[in-house]
Amino acid sequence: MKKISNKEIADVIKYGEHKVIVVEKVPVIASGSYKANYYIIDLETLEKEVITKSAYLMTKFGYAYKEICDSIASPIQCDAVVFSNREVFIIYKNGQCGLFDSKGKMLWNRTLEYNGAVVNGLALDGEYIWCCCESENCVIRYSLDNFKVDLRIGSRDAKTFIRPSSITADEENIYVCCDSKQLRSISKKDLTVSDIGGYQLGLKKFWRFDGISIISLDDGAYIDIEE
């Protein structure tokens, strides 16, 4: 693995072919707050290039990003997906979520819950999205037709997913980071759940693009290229 940042990573999103946008949280010592650094990483050369905040927001939310950002509290802290019809779905860590039309108008917003527990995270899977429910030890697949529960894997008393804290996806799998510092994958093809080793120490979040993994750990972020 190659270290790419000493900072906490707030977000990673796909940017064209073989590139991703990385957003770092940089502490501001004087105020005790954070500012954001935005840059592109070329996954083939590992070269970095600075990018503007506007370019990041347009990539994340689509062409109506200005209208959407005017309606939400923190564009960086939410997960978002732009659907094929250019509608945009966002969700925050506290379960607050919303759907926007192609022009950035909010169609609805609510708190997403399962058995009264907050649901968060976002991974796209064709006509579905996946989220995780930390206190219920499960991940949930929702249909995009009505945003109703289509499938659940795990349960409060099961050990399939122990306090899942984040969820992402690539073309083939869903990736779930658990509070036990365990990384597990779900096959989109047959829903097989598997362990992925090597990232347990301080694991915070995991992304995979074109066979290349970006891992957020306690001491910063790393990139891991499949041999």
Side-chain angles (χ1 to χ4, degrees):
M1 292 197 301
K2 177 181 174 62
K3 195 168 192 178
I4 57 173
S5 175
N6 292 316
K7 308 294 190 300
E8 182 180 347
I9 300 300
D11 201 6
V12 178
I13 58 174
K14 186 76 170 174
Y15 184 71
E17 281 196 62
H18 310 301
K19 292 183 179 181
V20 295
I21 298 175
V22 176
V23 183
E24 288 180 330
K25 290 177 64 177
V26 181
V28 179
I29 305 301
S31 63
S33 60
Y34 291 87
K35 67 176 184 178
N37 277 349
Y38 308 88
Y39 57 86
I40 297 169
I41 293 183
D42 188 312
L43 297 178
E44 294 185 324
T45 65
L46 302 188
E47 292 179 349
K48 290 184 179 181
E49 175 187 346
V50 174
I51 192 172
T52 64
K53 179 180 179 180
S54 295
Y56 158 72
L57 294 175
M58 185 169 69
T59 304
K60 184 171 184 173
F61 299 110
Y63 290 106
Y65 73 93
K66 291 181 180 179
E67 290 77 10
I68 293 173
C69 290
D70 284 343
S71 302
I72 62 179
S74 175
I76 296 174
Q77 293 181 8
C78 67
D79 292 312
V81 62
V82 181
F83 299 130
S84 58
N85 63 359
R86 294 173 61 184
E87 289 184 347
V88 180
F89 177 78
I90 70 165
I91 186 167
Y92 284 90
K93 191 69 176 176
N94 64 1
Q96 277 292 118
C97 64
L99 183 68
F100 296 81
D101 69 15
S102 61
K103 295 182 179 179
K105 178 183 177 181
M106 182 179 286
L107 300 175
W108 54 258
N109 72 300
R110 65 173 187 255
T111 299
L112 201 58
E113 296 181 338
Y114 180 75
N115 285 347
V118 167
V119 171
N120 52 41
L122 180 58
L124 184 62
D125 180 11
E127 298 300 313
Y128 305 95
I129 57 170
W130 290 81
C131 302
C132 52
C133 186
E134 190 169 348
S135 63
E136 291 290 313
N137 286 347
C138 67
V139 297
I140 302 166
R141 190 173 76 177
Y142 293 88
S143 169
L144 295 184
D145 289 336
N146 51 24
F147 287 90
K148 300 292 186 181
V149 175
D150 172 75
L151 176 71
R152 187 201 75 225
I153 302 178
S155 67
R156 179 175 293 184
D157 299 322
K159 295 184 178 180
T160 310
F161 300 104
I162 301 174
R163 298 190 65 81
S165 57
S166 71
I167 188 166
T168 57
D170 64 6
E171 293 299 318
E172 297 179 354
N173 298 295
I174 308 297
Y175 301 98
V176 185
C177 295
C178 298
D179 193 50
S180 60
K181 307 306 181 187
Q182 180 185 48
L183 177 63
R184 309 207 79 184
S185 67
I186 305 168
S187 168
K188 290 183 177 180
K189 182 178 180 180
D190 58 15
L191 302 178
T192 300
V193 178
S194 305
D195 284 321
I196 300 177
Y199 307 124
Q200 284 82 359
L201 297 177
L203 179 65
K204 290 185 174 181
K205 201 162 184 180
F206 177 93
W207 300 264
R208 180 168 283 175
F209 308 93
D210 304 324
I212 297 175
S213 303
I214 295 177
I215 309 102
S216 180
L217 302 178
D218 284 340
D219 67 340
Y222 295 80
I223 193 164
D224 192 9
I225 301 175
E226 258 184 19
E227 299 295 336

